[in-house]
Amino acid sequence: MAEKEEDPNHSVSGLMNNCNTAGGPVSPKSPEDETSESPVPEYAQDLKSVLVTSVLNLEKLDVDLYRGTHHWVPRTQRLFGGQIVGQALVAAAKSVGDNFYAHSLHCYFVRAGDPKVPVLYQVERTRDGRSFTVRSVKAIQHGQPILICQASFHMQQESPLQHQFTMPTVPPPEDLLTVEELIHLYLSKPDLAENAKQGLNKLLANEVPIEIKPVNPPQFYRRGATEPKKLFWVRARGYIGEGNMKLHCCVAAYVSDFALLGTVLLPYPNYRAKFSASLDHAMWFHSTFRTDEWMLYECVSPWAGGSRGLVQGRLWRRDGVLAASCSQEGVVRVKPATEPSKL
Ligand SMILES: CC(C)(COP(=O)(O)OP(=O)(O)OC[C@H]1O[C@@H](n2cnc3c(N)ncnc32)[C@H](O)[C@@H]1OP(=O)(O)O)[C@@H](O)C(=O)NCCC(=O)NCCSC(=O)CCCCC(=O)O
C-alpha cells in the first residue's frame, strides 16, 4: 500500500502538536465539549508532560515503522504494558485520516519487554472503510513480537442511542492526598518498621509520569481483605492541553494499565504476588477527555482463578462522563505473605 503523504495531523510531530482536531469519539456530550480552549492550569504552565515529549513521541524509521524509547520502567525490569500499548496506538494513529478517532483496541502481551533496548512498531494497514479503519501493530524487540495490537478507528457519527452508567460518588481530588503525600505521611510514623520505610522510599523514587490520588488510602495500602475494587483519581503529570483527542487516547491507554491488575490481590492480604503481568488489554474510548486533568479510575476484578485474574476499568471525567472502559486479564502467581504489612 502506498504511504500516505505526511501532513501535520498524521506525522510524528502532528500527533504531538496541539492541532485543532477537537472532537473524536463523542458520546454523550457535556457543556465542556462546546467550549474553546480552557486556561492552562496553574500546575502545568511550564511543564509539558513527559508522556508527550518523550514516551509517546515515536521516531519514524520508515513507512509505518517507528521506534519508541522508555521513560519509566517498573521495578520488575520488564517494560510497562501501558507504555507499549500507548506507543502502539500512537503508531497506528499516524496512518489514519484526520477525522478517524480510536474507538477500541485489543492487545496481547506475548513476551516481556526488555528495558535495555528500544521497541520497534510495525503497522499493517488492515482495512480502510468509510466509517471504520483497522490497523494491526506489532511491537518488536530482538526480532520477536512482544505485543500484538489491533486498533480500530471510527469516523464521528451521531446517534439517538446514548446511555452510560453513573459515576461513583467520591470526594473530589482537591480533598485527597497524592500517593507521594500519603507516603510522606506514613514515613513520619514513629513506629514504622525499617523494611516498610525502605519500601516506601523506593516507591518515592519511582518517577511514574502520572499522578494518583487514591480515594480510599487504607484500601490502596491495605491491611485486611477488601472487595476487589479500587477507585483513584489519576492524571498525566505536566501539561498536554486540549484539542488533540488522538494523543489523549494514547495517554489514556498508557494510564489505564497502571495499578489495574493489583485489584486482583485486594481480597487476599495473606498472599503476595511473586509474579504478575498483564496478558492482554482491551480498551474502548467513549467520549472526549483530557488526560492532564483529573479523571476517576474505577477498577474492579470480577473473577480470579487458575493463577489468572480478570480486571475491568472505567475512566470517568470529573463531570461524570464515562470517557473510556478497559478489560484485562493477567497472570498472578502468589506466595504466602510472611510478614504482616506495617502500613
Ligand atoms: C510470562 C508470559 C506471561 C508467558 O508465560 P509462560 O508461557 O509461562 O512463559 P515462559 O517463558 O515459559 O515462563 C515465564 C516464567 O514463568 C515461569 N513459569 C511458567 N509456568 C509456570 C508455572 N506453571 N508455575 C510457576 N512458574 C511458571 C517460568 O519458569 C519462567 O520463569 P523464569 O525462568 O524465572 O523467567 C509471557 O507471555 C510474558 O511475559 N508476556 C508479557 C507480559 C508483560 O510483560 N505484560 C506487560 C507488563 S505487566 C505490567 O505492565 C503491569 C503493570 C505494572 C505497573 C503497576 O501497576 O504497578
Side-chain angles (χ1 to χ4, degrees), residues 72 74 76 78-84 108-113 146 206 230 257-262 274-280 307 328 331 333:
W72 170 75
T76 54
R78 56 171 58 219
L79 287 183
F80 173 45
Q83 174 190 292
I84 314 170
Y108 280 102
F109 299 100
V110 293
R111 283 183 184 82
I146 60 167
N206 218 353
K230 63 179 160 186
D257 191 30
F258 194 79
L260 180 62
L261 191 55
K274 68 174 179 200
F275 180 82
S276 76
S278 5
L279 294 169
D280 59 12
S307 292
Q328 175 178 109
V331 54
R333 295 183 186 130

Side-chain angles (χ1 to χ4, degrees), residues 183-184 187 194 196-206:
I183 291 175
H184 282 296
L187 280 172
E194 195 48 42
K197 238 182 239 173
Q198 281 172 9
L200 288 171
N201 278 317
K202 268 190 202 154
L203 278 180
L204 270 186
N206 218 353

Side-chain angles (χ1 to χ4, degrees), residues 231-247:
L231 290 156
F232 55 92
W233 291 99
V234 62
R235 71 179 176 193
R237 284 189 200 278
Y239 180 69
I240 298 177
E242 199 173 34
N244 190 338
M245 259 323 289
K246 285 186 176 171
L247 181 54

Side-chain angles (χ1 to χ4, degrees), residues 241-288:
E242 199 173 34
N244 190 338
M245 259 323 289
K246 285 186 176 171
L247 181 54
H248 281 296
C249 287
C250 300
V251 177
Y254 182 102
V255 166
S256 66
D257 191 30
F258 194 79
L260 180 62
L261 191 55
T263 315
V264 171
L265 283 164
L266 292 178
Y268 311 102
N270 298 330
Y271 289 94
R272 299 265 180 277
K274 68 174 179 200
F275 180 82
S276 76
S278 5
L279 294 169
D280 59 12
H281 193 82
M283 191 155 187
W284 295 266
F285 302 99
H286 312 305
S287 160
T288 55

Side-chain angles (χ1 to χ4, degrees), residues 51-341:
L51 285 170
V52 173
T53 57
S54 161
V55 182
L56 299 175
N57 196 7
L58 302 187
E59 178 189 356
K60 180 168 182 171
L61 300 179
D62 205 334
V63 180
D64 294 337
L65 185 65
Y66 300 91
R67 176 161 50 201
T69 51
H70 330 304
H71 175 73
W72 170 75
V73 176
R75 275 187 293 171
T76 54
Q77 287 306 305
R78 56 171 58 219
L79 287 183
F80 173 45
Q83 174 190 292
I84 314 170
V85 177
Q87 291 183 339
L89 189 58
V90 169
K94 285 176 189 296
S95 66
V96 305
D98 291 353
N99 42 1
F100 281 83
Y101 293 89
H103 71 92
S104 74
L105 56 85
H106 293 73
C107 305
Y108 280 102
F109 299 100
V110 293
R111 283 183 184 82
D114 177 359
K116 292 190 283 304
V117 295
V119 184
L120 297 182
Y121 293 90
Q122 194 170 50
V123 181
E124 180 204 281
R125 302 186 187 211
T126 311
R127 180 175 183 267
D128 282 39
R130 196 159 72 91
S131 294
F132 291 91
T133 285
V134 180
R135 297 289 179 259
S136 303
V137 185
K138 217 183 269 178
I140 302 164
Q141 282 186 315
H142 305 295
Q144 292 187 304
I146 60 167
L147 174 101
I148 44 179
C149 174
Q150 315 234 287
S152 181
F153 299 80
H154 189 201
M155 187 179 270
Q156 232 174 287
Q157 271 167 5
E158 291 302 320
S159 165
L161 308 184
Q162 290 201 18
H163 71 265
Q164 63 158 66
F165 283 1
T166 303
M167 183 168 89
T169 306
V170 297
E174 291 72 21
D175 291 356
L176 297 167
L177 298 177
T178 63
V179 169
E180 289 75 17
E181 288 165 338
L182 283 165
I183 291 175
H184 282 296
L185 212 62
Y186 291 130
L187 280 172
S188 66
K189 287 184 183 190
D191 58 340
L192 192 67
E194 195 48 42
N195 61 348
K197 238 182 239 173
Q198 281 172 9
L200 288 171
N201 278 317
K202 268 190 202 154
L203 278 180
L204 270 186
N206 218 353
E207 289 182 1
V208 191
I210 55 185
E211 267 184 293
I212 285 180
K213 289 191 173 193
V215 166
N216 192 340
Q219 261 187 24
F220 200 68
Y221 298 107
R222 77 208 141 85
R223 250 200 190 110
T226 63
E227 60 172 340
K229 180 173 180 166
K230 63 179 160 186
L231 290 156
F232 55 92
W233 291 99
V234 62
R235 71 179 176 193
R237 284 189 200 278
Y239 180 69
I240 298 177
E242 199 173 34
N244 190 338
M245 259 323 289
K246 285 186 176 171
L247 181 54
H248 281 296
C249 287
C250 300
V251 177
Y254 182 102
V255 166
S256 66
D257 191 30
F258 194 79
L260 180 62
L261 191 55
T263 315
V264 171
L265 283 164
L266 292 178
Y268 311 102
N270 298 330
Y271 289 94
R272 299 265 180 277
K274 68 174 179 200
F275 180 82
S276 76
S278 5
L279 294 169
D280 59 12
H281 193 82
M283 191 155 187
W284 295 266
F285 302 99
H286 312 305
S287 160
T288 55
F289 55 86
R290 277 184 65 164
T291 42
D292 55 350
E293 291 182 344
W294 289 115
M295 297 175 86
L296 182 69
Y297 200 17
E298 180 188 11
C299 307
V300 294
S301 172
W303 175 88
S307 292
R308 302 191 315 279
L310 178 68
V311 277
Q312 294 165 342
R314 291 196 192 108
L315 266 174
W316 299 90
R317 277 182 1 194
R318 67 179 298 170
D319 63 1
V321 170
L322 184 60
S325 311
C326 65
S327 274
Q328 175 178 109
E329 201 179 31
V331 54
V332 185
R333 295 183 186 130
V334 294
K335 59 181 177 188
T338 45
E339 287 175 25
S341 169

